[in-house]
Amino acid sequence: QQQVKQSPQSLIVQKGGIPIINCAYENTAFDYFPWYQQFPGKGPALLIAIRPDVSEKKEGRFTISFNKSAKQFSLHIMDSQPGDSATYFCAASKEGSGGGADGLTFGKGTHLIIQP
Amino acid sequence: EPEVTQTPSHQVTQMGQEVILRCVPISNHLYFYWYRQILGQKVEFLVSFYNNEISEKSEIFDDQFSVERPDGSNFTLKIRSTKLEDSAMYFCASKRRGAHNEQFFGPGTRLTVL
């Protein structure tokens, strides 16, 4: 029940295309859904996050779509660039009281390549 | 921009030895975390720490692991007797109070157990 399932495992998109990465969760207590970007040899970097009270959130070229009834959320990258090539992880957690200290449950990651 | 730092960047140890991984969280953050990432796999939660005590731990975080905040700036993960399967990247993360669950990760320590 704690799992977060992420797909696809890898994705190749031409520059300017819109890669879409999907995640599904099982635990209905989850109420915080971030996406992290990781470059080789680096730690995960927080990209964008959403809470279930909204169905979409945009920050720059990155958009999260959230479907609470289906327990699914996805990341869209608009006007993708070669510099966006990285591994992307979705995650989920409970917020807990006062912000909380809950650990993040990560998906298995998507290796994204943007071809020039 | 403040960031989480971790030392060492790479630690090589013999099986059965104790290792201590060190982290300096972002200075105004109050929640601290350790995660691990086995090569090519997903990031896995180990433990969270708040107000000088463990808040939550995963089933991975067994009696071989311990965490400590020995002073006002450092946060450490100790593995008492390392096993081959402990080889992984270990990430420290921190979060400030009231900031949803926005956790900021350090660059990681690569632990290699021989």
Side-chain angles (χ1 to χ4, degrees), chain B residues 38-90:
Chain B
I38 295 171
L39 185 63
Q41 299 187 24
K42 68 177 178 179
V43 179
E44 299 175 290
F45 168 72
L46 294 178
V47 65
S48 61
F49 191 87
Y50 171 69
N51 200 26
N52 284 318
E53 61 182 24
I54 290 174
S55 298
E56 184 188 12
K57 59 183 180 180
S58 72
E59 57 190 27
I60 302 169
F61 193 86
D62 61 22
D63 292 345
Q64 293 297 319
F65 293 90
S66 62
V67 290
E68 191 178 32
R69 187 151 163 83
D71 53 42
S73 60
N74 289 282
F75 179 51
T76 63
L77 174 69
K78 182 192 293 187
I79 308 175
R80 192 178 3 260
S81 177
T82 50
K83 308 184 189 76
L84 294 176
E85 54 265 37
D86 292 328
S87 295
M89 282 290 285
Y90 288 81

Side-chain angles (χ1 to χ4, degrees), chain A residues 36 93 95 100-104, chain B residues 35 37 48 56 95 100-101 103:
Chain A
Y36 282 82
S93 75
E95 284 256 89
D102 290 82
L104 296 166
Chain B
Y35 292 81
Q37 185 179 31
S48 61
E56 184 188 12
K95 183 182 86 76
H100 297 301
N101 205 6
Q103 298 181 24

Side-chain angles (χ1 to χ4, degrees), chain A residues 41, chain B residues 6-12 22 88-90 107-111:
Chain B
Q6 291 185 242
T7 55
S9 57
H10 191 191
Q11 172 97 42
V12 181
R22 291 182 169 80
M89 282 290 285
Y90 288 81
T109 292
R110 178 172 299 283
L111 176 65

Side-chain angles (χ1 to χ4, degrees), chain A residues 53-98:
Chain A
D53 49 349
V54 296
S55 60
E56 185 175 276
K57 183 174 181 181
K58 290 183 181 180
E59 284 186 6
R61 296 185 294 109
F62 300 93
T63 299
I64 300 179
S65 298
F66 185 83
N67 185 329
K68 187 174 180 179
S69 61
K71 293 187 286 186
Q72 295 176 348
F73 58 110
S74 59
L75 176 71
H76 297 61
I77 306 175
M78 306 303 176
D79 188 27
S80 58
Q81 302 296 315
D84 295 329
S85 298
T87 300
Y88 291 81
F89 291 95
C90 63
S93 75
K94 295 176 287 183
E95 284 256 89
S97 58

Side-chain angles (χ1 to χ4, degrees), chain B residues 4-20:
Chain B
V4 177
T5 60
Q6 291 185 242
T7 55
S9 57
H10 191 191
Q11 172 97 42
V12 181
T13 189
Q14 295 291 323
M15 188 171 56
Q17 294 296 304
E18 174 184 286
V19 295
I20 297 176

Side-chain angles (χ1 to χ4, degrees), chain A residues 9-65:
Chain A
Q9 188 174 359
S10 61
L11 184 58
I12 300 174
V13 173
Q14 293 295 317
K15 176 183 172 183
I18 305 176
I20 300 173
I21 304 170
N22 301 296
C23 284
Y25 63 98
E26 300 170 351
N27 188 344
T28 54
F30 286 153
D31 56 5
Y32 176 76
F33 304 91
W35 284 89
Y36 282 82
Q37 179 189 57
Q38 186 179 34
F39 293 105
K42 304 292 186 183
L46 180 62
L47 202 56
I48 186 173
I50 197 168
R51 298 197 67 234
D53 49 349
V54 296
S55 60
E56 185 175 276
K57 183 174 181 181
K58 290 183 181 180
E59 284 186 6
R61 296 185 294 109
F62 300 93
T63 299
I64 300 179
S65 298

Side-chain angles (χ1 to χ4, degrees), chain B residues 18-35:
Chain B
E18 174 184 286
V19 295
I20 297 176
L21 310 182
R22 291 182 169 80
C23 167
V24 178
I26 295 173
S27 63
N28 64 341
H29 286 191
L30 298 178
Y31 299 86
F32 313 115
Y33 308 81
W34 283 101
Y35 292 81

